[in-house]
Amino acid sequence: MKNFLSLLCVGLLILAKASFANDNQNSWQQMKGRDFIIYYRANVPDDFVQTTMDTAEDELRRVTENFGITNPPSWADKDRQIKVYIYSDRDDYVKNGAQATWSHGAAFAKARTIKTYPEATGFFDTIMPHELGHIIFRDYIGFTVAVPLWFEEGVAIYQEKAKRLGANQIVKQAIENGQFIPLSQLTGVRLYKDSDKQVVDSFYSESASAVYYLITELGEQEFFMLCDALKNNMPFEEALHKVYLRFKTIGDLDQSWQQYLQG
Ligand SMILES: [Zn+2]
């Protein structure tokens, strides 16, 4: 489980512009596909780049379906293609990609950019779908509406093949140990490069579990409706109440989710 929990992205930077500090002196190789352009360091093996391209195209379709988007806009236009940067290794990714040491991949939704590196465990099953989840979700709902970070991350985690199974157990444990952070407080949590690992792990487990509950227990159609309400710029709590009448606040959702976890 630890491995899964360490597969994270820098949530705070999701909406930020991609920054490529210190990258000017380094050259990138390029592979152009229909919906993606992959930029990679010279030492990244060709077969890894090719598999990344093939997986990315497949995952783009699967993740789009997961959001119930029936008429997706084309990604093939030059200004909409998704850019994937594959750094040489972790050091290169952290230093030149300006990323946290605890992160293995990062998505910049507005710039339609993903950054990662080839040694990242679970790259194809976890990191790629997760980061695409961020990009597709924001491309769909737009960039004006504010969404709690735990929801944004939970939605991305839901795209991972294994969906961090085990997160429910970790959250249950946290409730029993008194280490549980209520959703209303989680909404205010911010993650930084030097955030405590315990806080980061709790944040992602709770995000995964809460969104998993929303989608699998309260219904996929309702989740699609929630995304549609956000797309129409409805504030998060208002959208929540519109779709799930009994939830007037995030606190109501929190209670219902905790009751479900405690059986
Ligand atoms: Zn993420």
Side-chain angles (χ1 to χ4, degrees), residues 128-170:
M128 174 62 77
H130 180 114
E131 306 307 348
L132 278 177
H134 280 305
I135 292 178
I136 295 166
F137 176 63
R138 271 295 168 177
D139 187 72
Y140 185 64
I141 69 160
F143 295 90
T144 8
V145 70
V147 170
L149 190 57
W150 63 260
F151 184 77
E152 196 126 17
E153 281 307 325
V155 157
I157 292 168
Y158 191 80
Q159 312 312 320
E160 299 173 6
K161 295 273 172 75
K163 304 187 192 329
R164 307 213 192 175
L165 294 176
N168 282 357
Q169 199 50 44
I170 293 175

Side-chain angles (χ1 to χ4, degrees), residues 5 18 67 94 121 127 133 143 153 166 187 203 208 218 225 241-242 244 250 253:
L5 290 173
F67 284 109
V94 169
T121 342
I127 295 173
F143 295 90
E153 281 307 325
T187 300
F203 176 84
L218 305 184
M225 284 159 68
H241 182 48
K242 184 186 176 223
Y244 314 89
I250 287 175
L253 164 64

Side-chain angles (χ1 to χ4, degrees), residues 16-250:
K17 233 181 140 195
S19 70
F20 296 94
N22 307 323
D23 266 356
N24 295 344
Q25 73 275 29
N26 295 306
S27 60
W28 292 98
Q29 320 266 340
Q30 267 186 49
M31 182 187 277
K32 287 185 179 174
R34 198 186 63 174
D35 302 317
F36 293 84
I37 301 181
I38 298 177
Y39 296 92
Y40 58 100
R41 299 295 201 207
N43 64 335
V44 176
D46 286 348
D47 60 344
F48 183 86
V49 180
Q50 187 59 58
T51 311
T52 300
M53 183 64 87
D54 298 343
T55 311
E57 294 283 359
D58 291 347
E59 288 299 304
L60 183 63
R61 264 156 284 287
R62 187 183 67 87
V63 172
T64 301
E65 281 175 24
N66 278 353
F67 284 109
I69 303 169
T70 44
N71 259 329
S74 167
W75 294 91
D77 301 342
K78 206 175 159 222
D79 61 339
R80 281 189 42 87
Q81 277 183 313
I82 298 169
K83 296 169 278 296
V84 181
Y85 285 82
I86 307 175
Y87 289 82
S88 292
D89 50 31
R90 186 166 173 266
D91 282 354
D92 186 22
Y93 169 76
V94 169
K95 196 176 147 206
N96 298 316
Q99 296 307 307
T101 49
W102 50 260
S103 153
H104 290 216
F108 302 85
K110 217 167 200 171
R112 297 188 187 85
T113 295
I114 292 170
K115 294 182 185 185
T116 187
Y117 60 96
E119 293 138 83
T121 342
F123 177 79
F124 299 111
D125 287 349
T126 304
I127 295 173
M128 174 62 77
H130 180 114
E131 306 307 348
L132 278 177
H134 280 305
I135 292 178
I136 295 166
F137 176 63
R138 271 295 168 177
D139 187 72
Y140 185 64
I141 69 160
F143 295 90
T144 8
V145 70
V147 170
L149 190 57
W150 63 260
F151 184 77
E152 196 126 17
E153 281 307 325
V155 157
I157 292 168
Y158 191 80
Q159 312 312 320
E160 299 173 6
K161 295 273 172 75
K163 304 187 192 329
R164 307 213 192 175
L165 294 176
N168 282 357
Q169 199 50 44
I170 293 175
V171 178
K172 269 162 86 169
Q173 200 83 51
I175 295 172
E176 281 163 28
N177 299 343
Q179 289 172 326
F180 176 78
I181 309 167
L183 275 189
S184 48
Q185 280 179 37
L186 205 66
T187 300
V189 168
R190 292 289 171 267
L191 300 179
Y192 301 96
K193 285 182 184 176
D194 56 356
S195 286
D196 182 72
K197 193 172 182 303
Q198 167 78 39
V199 173
V200 173
D201 286 353
S202 304
F203 176 84
Y204 279 91
S205 294
E206 290 197 21
S207 303
S209 173
V211 172
Y212 187 83
Y213 168 67
L214 265 179
I215 300 175
T216 62
E217 292 297 314
L218 305 184
E220 205 176 37
Q221 290 306 320
E222 284 77 2
F223 170 72
F224 297 161
M225 284 159 68
L226 179 62
C227 292
D228 281 345
L230 295 171
K231 184 180 167 65
N232 291 325
N233 282 326
M234 191 176 277
F236 187 78
E237 273 192 331
E238 212 177 307
L240 199 65
H241 182 48
K242 184 186 176 223
V243 178
Y244 314 89
L245 293 174
R246 63 198 164 108
F247 301 152
K248 287 198 173 68
T249 61
I250 287 175

